[in-house]
Amino acid sequence: MNAITGRRRPKTLALGLVEALGDRIREGRLNAGDKLPTEAAIMAEFEVSRTVVREAISKLQAAGLVETRHGIGTFVLGLGEGAAFRIAPDQMGTLTDVVAVLELRIGVETEAAALAAQRRSAAQLAAMQEALAAFAAAAEAGRDAVAADFQFHLEIARATGNPHFEQLMGTLGAPSIPRARLPGLDSVAPAERLAYLTRVNAEHQHILDAISAQDPEAARAAMRTHLANSRERRRRAALAAAGGE
């Protein structure tokens, strides 16, 4: 059985690897400046092909988590590298910080969803659906699904056909997903965590359905609802962790 995918369909192998490597970066097992293992080492550890490894590295680069230095290797990005604008980890440490980033994302991603509905290709729709499948697989496996969550939003930015949307999302990176930065899911029962992530992915599906139907107004509304719900979920989770309501 594959080390990262179990019975997952082959088309989600790369996103499974993105999830696994992204977890190591977020958890501090791979720190800024660290060199990733060689392609051969990753292939052996995760039982995947070289093509899958290269696709996963490409996705991590797009997410702003790593950079490849030709002839040297692939390294975890440090603060301020790779982009003029970057939100540092210490700017995502409180509920107020996370809400501020969500407000930025609402402003950017609602319009991105509308543009994607007008301009998306069949291949881009397939990439969005692949991200949702990877999200569901990660949730079923008990993981936080942050990498697949971010990948879905990044694929929407790409589908706008405007490179600035993709660049901005890549700069924000996976840490812009609220549960990547604040506690909450770790303390709940597995069944409750799965139910929570299932609700989140249902919202993703509503966005994808509108983009697939080429309905920009519905896509804009679905994205705004999703991100507004994310803001409220983080507020409630923070209150619960603090012993509030």
Side-chain angles (χ1 to χ4, degrees):
M1 182 178 292
N2 186 279
I4 59 171
T5 62
R7 297 182 180 179
R8 188 182 303 173
R9 292 179 296 170
K11 72 175 184 177
T12 65
L13 282 170
L15 284 177
L17 183 55
V18 169
E19 181 80 25
L21 294 176
D23 284 346
R24 293 183 182 184
I25 294 170
R26 289 191 300 276
E27 293 166 4
R29 288 183 283 162
L30 287 170
N31 295 305
D34 286 352
K35 184 178 179 180
L36 292 188
T38 64
E39 286 185 354
I42 295 174
M43 289 164 60
E45 179 180 355
F46 294 98
E47 302 176 20
V48 295
S49 70
R50 190 177 303 276
T51 299
V52 168
V53 173
R54 290 181 175 176
E55 183 180 350
I57 295 300
S58 177
K59 291 180 184 297
L60 288 169
Q61 289 172 335
L65 294 177
V66 304
E67 69 172 0
T68 297
R69 302 169 191 169
H70 295 293
I72 303 175
T74 299
F75 296 81
V76 178
L77 279 175
L79 299 181
E81 295 180 29
F85 170 78
R86 184 172 295 276
I87 296 177
D90 61 4
Q91 294 176 285
M92 287 285 284
T94 69
L95 175 62
T96 299
D97 294 334
V98 169
V99 167
V101 172
L102 280 169
E103 289 175 349
L104 172 64
R105 290 182 60 199
I106 288 170
V108 172
E109 292 191 66
T110 52
E111 192 60 27
L115 290 172
Q118 295 172 303
R119 302 172 179 174
R120 90 296 183 279
S121 66
Q124 288 166 335
L125 281 177
M128 293 175 210
Q129 189 60 62
E130 180 181 345
L132 296 196
F135 186 112
E140 289 283 353
R143 299 195 299 273
D144 62 17
V146 166
D149 193 331
F150 176 72
Q151 192 65 36
F152 175 69
H153 288 272
L154 182 62
E155 295 296 349
I156 292 172
R158 285 176 175 157
T160 66
N162 181 333
H164 299 304
F165 280 95
E166 180 180 353
Q167 289 164 8
L168 179 56
M169 286 303 298
T171 296
L172 291 175
S176 65
I177 303 300
R179 61 185 179 282
R181 306 304 306 177
L182 291 178
L185 285 183
D186 293 341
S187 61
V188 304
E192 185 178 349
R193 179 171 59 246
L194 178 58
Y196 174 96
L197 292 176
T198 299
R199 288 194 299 272
V200 171
N201 219 25
E203 294 174 7
H204 288 156
Q205 188 64 55
H206 290 318
I207 297 167
L208 180 56
D209 289 345
I211 292 174
S212 178
Q214 296 186 295
D215 186 336
E217 289 305 319
R220 185 182 283 116
M223 180 65 81
R224 179 174 291 278
T225 296
H226 168 56
L227 294 176
N229 286 348
S230 294
R231 181 174 56 190
E232 181 61 16
R233 281 189 288 263
R234 292 321 306 169
R235 187 188 70 82
R236 291 181 178 179
L239 285 172
E245 65 178 4

